[in-house]
Amino acid sequence: MSRASSRPPPSAPFRSFEDIRERRRGPGLSAEDWADAALWSLADGVEALSVERLARRLGVTKGGFYWHFKDRAELLQAALARWEQLATGEVIARLEALSDPRERLHRLLALTFEDGPHGKIEVAIAVGASDPRIQPVLERVSKRRIDYLVKLYRALGLPVREARHWALQAYSTYVGLLHLAIASPDTLGSERARAEYVKHVARSLIPGSAALPSERGP
């Protein structure tokens, strides 16, 4: 019997612009709708965030924006909060539904290294690390992710110091691969070559790992 049904969804549940437009209630948008849309716009860089541009893409007037936010700076903070919730909080919650810590680590690494547009958001936020509006959020998220990785490695029986070393290696590898995928995507080769490399990386980050769940078959 396949174990796929027990696994979390393959990517962070970011809503697309189309989803936001189609699922809105009434003529206007909620604060969460605006924040989710702003989150996607961060893929083009933090400075690309524009209320007018978002309103055009969402098919609404920008007047509705001011029901929820004072200005663009407040919207940026709301977008960052949504990123923290969706790309870290909810991912951890879904992984915790799995009883086997090794399976949780397998799934986290497979999710983390898979290709997807959310990677551009991660890179854009990381690039803005020196921005005082972004730095506290990025620091908090990074700490939470590393702490969770330490917890997973500890659950595999590793002592605290060794578990932290593995966690730091895993997280720094993730950050490096994200930047490489954006800065020099051809380095990773074709989509198939990238997938094979990602599997290799994930295997190397799990002590005593023989294969990822997706490679084991039913």
Side-chain angles (χ1 to χ4, degrees), residues 25-35 51 60-72 74-75 78:
R25 297 178 180 178
L29 296 172
S30 68
E32 186 175 285
D33 290 332
W34 281 102
V51 176
V60 297
T61 65
K62 69 175 184 177
F65 165 83
Y66 293 102
W67 282 102
H68 307 292
F69 303 100
K70 180 177 66 177
D71 52 26
R72 177 184 175 279
E74 278 196 359
L75 178 60

Side-chain angles (χ1 to χ4, degrees), residues 8-22:
S11 59
F14 297 165
R15 293 191 297 157
S16 67
F17 283 101
E18 291 73 19
D19 288 337
I20 295 169
R21 285 198 302 264
E22 292 174 3

Side-chain angles (χ1 to χ4, degrees), residues 165-189:
H165 289 166
W166 278 90
L168 290 175
Q169 179 184 356
Y171 197 65
S172 60
T173 300
Y174 162 64
V175 172
L177 189 59
L178 270 180
H179 280 269
L180 181 61
I182 300 301
S184 183
D186 291 343
T187 303
L188 297 175

Side-chain angles (χ1 to χ4, degrees), residues 34-48:
W34 281 102
D36 283 351
L39 177 59
W40 273 114
S41 76
L42 294 183
D44 297 322
V46 174
E47 296 309 316

